[in-house]
Amino acid sequence: HHITINFIGLMEPEQKEEMFKYLKDRLVFKNLTIEINSLSYFPDENGQVLVANITLTPRLKKLFNIVEGIVARIGFGMALRTFRPHITLARFKEKNRPFSQIIELEEPINSVIGELDVYESSFKSGKTLHTLIKTYSFE
C-alpha cells in the first residue's frame, strides 16, 4: 500500500534526472509517523475506491509541499485539488454496486513511513503497471 504524494504523468528523461537531484537535496526527514483515522469510499459513498484516510499532520504537509515545489520547478503545474492523504485498500469494477456500511475505527491506527518511492506507471494489455524507479530513505 502507498500514499500518493504527487502524480505527475509523462516526463522527459531530463525532467526525471532533475527531479531525482532535487529530491536527494531536499528530503531530510526522519521516519514519518502517519495516523489512519477512518475508512471511507472515495470520493464519496458512491465511489469505486475504498480508502484508509490519513491525518494530514504538519510533517506530512511539509513533505507534500517539498515534492509539490520540486514538481513545479521541473515544469509541471501545481496540483489543483486539495491533498487528501489516503491509502487505497480496494477498487470496485462494478459501478452500480450496492452501498455498504463501513466499520468505524475504535481508535486511530499509527504507522511509520521510512522512505519515499518514485514509481513510473505504464498501461499494458488493459492494466496499469507500476515500476519502482527510485527510493529515498528517510534518515
Side-chain angles (χ1 to χ4, degrees):
H1 297 294
H2 68 275
I3 302 170
T4 300
I5 300 297
N6 195 304
F7 182 83
I8 300 168
L10 292 175
M11 297 175 78
E12 296 297 326
E14 305 80 41
Q15 290 172 308
K16 286 181 194 175
E17 290 308 315
E18 194 172 357
M19 181 183 70
F20 295 155
K21 177 192 174 304
Y22 290 134
L23 284 171
K24 182 180 176 197
D25 293 345
R26 298 284 319 273
L27 289 179
V28 286
F29 276 85
K30 298 241 184 261
N31 288 336
L32 183 62
T33 301
I34 63 162
E35 179 182 274
I36 298 171
N37 57 42
S38 64
L39 303 178
S40 69
Y41 291 107
F42 186 79
D44 56 36
E45 65 273 357
N46 296 315
Q48 290 180 262
V49 180
L50 176 66
V51 298
N53 297 300
I54 307 289
T55 301
L56 183 56
T57 62
R59 289 188 69 219
L60 186 54
K61 179 69 173 168
K62 181 177 179 181
L63 175 62
F64 171 79
N65 288 338
I66 289 170
V67 172
E68 189 78 354
I70 291 169
V71 167
R73 187 172 184 165
I74 63 172
F76 291 89
M78 303 292 271
L80 299 176
R81 291 179 276 160
T82 303
F83 179 49
R84 289 181 50 194
H86 63 276
I87 298 171
T88 299
L89 301 174
R91 292 186 185 276
F92 305 96
K93 290 183 180 184
E94 176 59 48
K95 293 185 187 302
N96 297 319
R97 66 168 175 74
F99 172 76
S100 60
Q101 186 74 22
I102 294 179
I103 60 167
E104 295 286 325
L105 298 178
E106 292 183 20
E107 59 185 56
I109 300 169
N110 294 297
S111 188
V112 175
I113 297 173
E115 58 194 24
L116 176 80
D117 294 330
V118 179
Y119 283 87
E120 187 168 67
S121 299
S122 59
F123 194 70
K124 186 176 182 180
S125 302
K127 294 189 178 198
T128 303
L129 304 172
H130 304 286
T131 305
L132 178 63
I133 56 174
K134 198 84 163 167
T135 295
Y136 298 89
S137 292
F138 296 147
E139 299 286 322

